[in-house]
Amino acid sequence: MELQLAMVLLEVRDLDASIAFYRRLGLDIPDPAGERPIVIHRMGSGVSLLITTQFASAYDPAFERPAGGYQQLLEFYVGEDALVDAKWTDLTSAGYHGRLAPTQTAGPYAAMVDDPDGNVILLTSDEAAAPGD
């Protein structure tokens, strides 16, 4: 069996703020079920995005939030260049921190914006990131 990326888990400070961000990004994030501080969205690619406030902190006694900077980027394929521009404008106009305005990089046309916890979201029109059929 080939190893597959099944889920990306984000340990966040404010679940509601994160849900609002990822919905604005364009994901159909559900409401949390009951009192559980967790939501899961399965994307067409098969990878799930799990957002929670209490997984790593509950099960890893050595868990510490990064003090600064970022350690990863989450790339979201949004389609053509104009859609990268539109999503960047929508998110930064809503007050989210823009890290890199839309530009042609050495690779894809891309932009970067921070989610509420400082996770860097890479918006691209890179066909290599498009979900397969």
Side-chain angles (χ1 to χ4, degrees):
M1 184 180 102
E2 179 184 352
L3 186 65
Q4 296 290 318
L5 177 63
M7 183 177 297
V8 173
L9 190 149
L10 296 178
E11 179 95 9
V12 303
R13 290 175 181 85
D14 183 329
L15 189 62
D16 292 334
S18 292
I19 289 171
F21 173 85
Y22 286 98
R23 283 178 177 166
R24 185 165 207 118
L25 180 63
L27 299 179
D28 187 19
I29 303 292
D31 289 328
E35 297 297 315
R36 294 189 65 210
I38 185 172
V39 294
I40 301 172
H41 170 69
R42 187 168 181 93
M43 292 177 258
S45 64
V47 175
S48 293
L49 177 63
L50 185 146
I51 305 170
T52 184
T53 59
Q54 298 178 0
F55 184 83
S57 57
Y59 295 103
D60 180 359
F63 173 73
E64 292 182 39
R65 293 187 185 279
Y70 59 92
Q71 298 179 24
Q72 72 281 326
L73 291 97
L74 300 178
E75 180 177 355
F76 287 90
Y77 171 77
V78 298
E80 61 193 47
D81 296 355
L83 295 174
V84 172
D85 294 340
K87 189 56 67 178
W88 160 268
T89 299
D90 179 55
L91 292 169
T92 56
S93 294
Y96 296 105
H97 176 254
R99 191 169 286 277
L100 173 69
T103 189
Q104 181 61 55
T105 69
Y109 187 76
M112 295 188 327
V113 64
D114 292 355
D115 79 0
D117 285 277
N119 296 303
V120 179
I121 306 305
L122 179 63
L123 307 166
T124 74
S125 61
D126 185 2
E127 287 292 329
D133 293 326

